């Protein structure tokens, strides 16, 4: 009887040891997955939304490339502006000596400040920022969102309607903002963002759309009225 009890005790100890080992391995794998490598920024795009000044609530988007390059897109229509970034340390980069971005160990942006070289005393801060992993498949294709833009003062820009992305690309023909018709293909970035334009008379408006935490974050430059519109669109399922 003692031998049986001893064998049972050994068996239980073995099972507990194996369970603890498996748990530790999983925790180790999780920590490894969550560790951010600043040298692999080319796998990401960076979304940021203005906090202060003019234009408030406008979006700045960086598409990181190999060789410490980044393509910049802004709500004002500054599309595909080539930038160079420098890795300052394990959690900080400088983009073209204007934008200082600090990350934590998981790749979350903890702060971002943009210093305009033409106005060095007026630094721009950001209230929203997100480092987003690029995808191999278009994450917006075939999805619909409740479309609602706001003026800088927070008033709604009518009308509200559904914004639908085509299953094989994005060309939202017939949809308008303040009378501007979207009639051109939008450029896909990292399979999670689109930038494009809309025409109204003799002017061209610009739009930036980024999928962030399930919502479509948007910035729109109405060049006729010289205002930046903004929105955060819910997906319709």
């Amino acid at each position: 009887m003692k031998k049986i009890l001893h064998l049972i005790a050994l068996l239980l100890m073995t099972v507990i040891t194996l369970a603890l080992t498996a748990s530790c391995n999983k925790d180790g794998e999780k920590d490894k997955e969550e560790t951010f490598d600043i040298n692999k920024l080319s796998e990401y795009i960076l979304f940021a939304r203005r906090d202060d000044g003019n234009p408030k609530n406008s979006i700045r988007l960086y598409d990181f490339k190999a060789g410490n390059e980044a393509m910049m897109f802004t709500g004002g229509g500054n599309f595909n502006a080539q930038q160079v970034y420098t890795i300052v340390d394990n959690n900080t980069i400088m983009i073209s000596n204007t934008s200082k971005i600090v990350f934590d160990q998981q790749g979350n942006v903890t702060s971002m400040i943009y210093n305009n070289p033409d106005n060095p005393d007026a630094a721009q801060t950001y209230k929203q920022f997100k480092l987003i992993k690029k995808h191999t498949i278009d994450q917006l294709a075939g999805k619909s969102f409740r479309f609602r833009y706001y003026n800088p003062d927070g008033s709604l820009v009518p009308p509200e309607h559904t914004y639908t992305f085509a299953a094989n690309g994005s060309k939202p023909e017939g949809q308008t903002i303040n009378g501007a018709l979207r009639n051109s293909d939008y450029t896909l970035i990292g399979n999670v963002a689109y930038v494009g334009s809309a025409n109204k008379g003799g002017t061209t408006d610009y739009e930036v759309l980024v999928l962030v935490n399930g919502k479509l974050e948007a910035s729109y430059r109405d060049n006729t009225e010289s205002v930046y519109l903004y929105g955060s669109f819910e997906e319709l399922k």
Side-chain angles (χ1 to χ4, degrees), residues 106-137:
Q106 284 71 47
N108 300 309
V109 181
T110 59
S111 70
M112 177 175 171
I113 298 176
Y114 172 77
N115 292 290
N116 189 334
D118 296 326
N119 190 5
D121 295 329
Q124 300 174 4
T125 59
Y126 291 79
K127 64 178 179 181
Q128 284 181 271
F129 22 64
K130 178 76 173 179
L131 192 65
I132 305 170
K133 188 86 169 181
K134 296 178 182 178
H135 288 259
T136 56
I137 299 174

Side-chain angles (χ1 to χ4, degrees), residues 74 80 83 94 109 111 150 177 193 203 210-211:
T74 68
N80 244 2
Q83 310 278 293
M94 285 290 298
V109 181
S111 70
Y150 292 90
I177 301 177
T203 64
V210 190
L211 189 62

Side-chain angles (χ1 to χ4, degrees), residues 16-32:
I16 292 171
T17 301
L18 290 173
L20 289 173
T21 301
S23 177
C24 289
N25 286 339
K26 287 182 179 179
D27 289 341
E29 290 173 1
K30 183 179 180 182
D31 291 342
K32 185 177 180 181

Side-chain angles (χ1 to χ4, degrees), residues 147 159-164 170-186 197-199 207 220:
F147 190 81
E160 296 183 36
H161 56 258
T162 300
Y163 192 121
T164 300
S170 175
K171 189 173 182 177
E173 292 180 329
Q175 295 189 12
T176 63
I177 301 177
N178 281 2
L181 176 66
R182 292 186 183 88
N183 58 355
S184 63
D185 288 321
Y186 276 29
S197 60
N199 296 323
E207 189 172 36
Y220 190 94

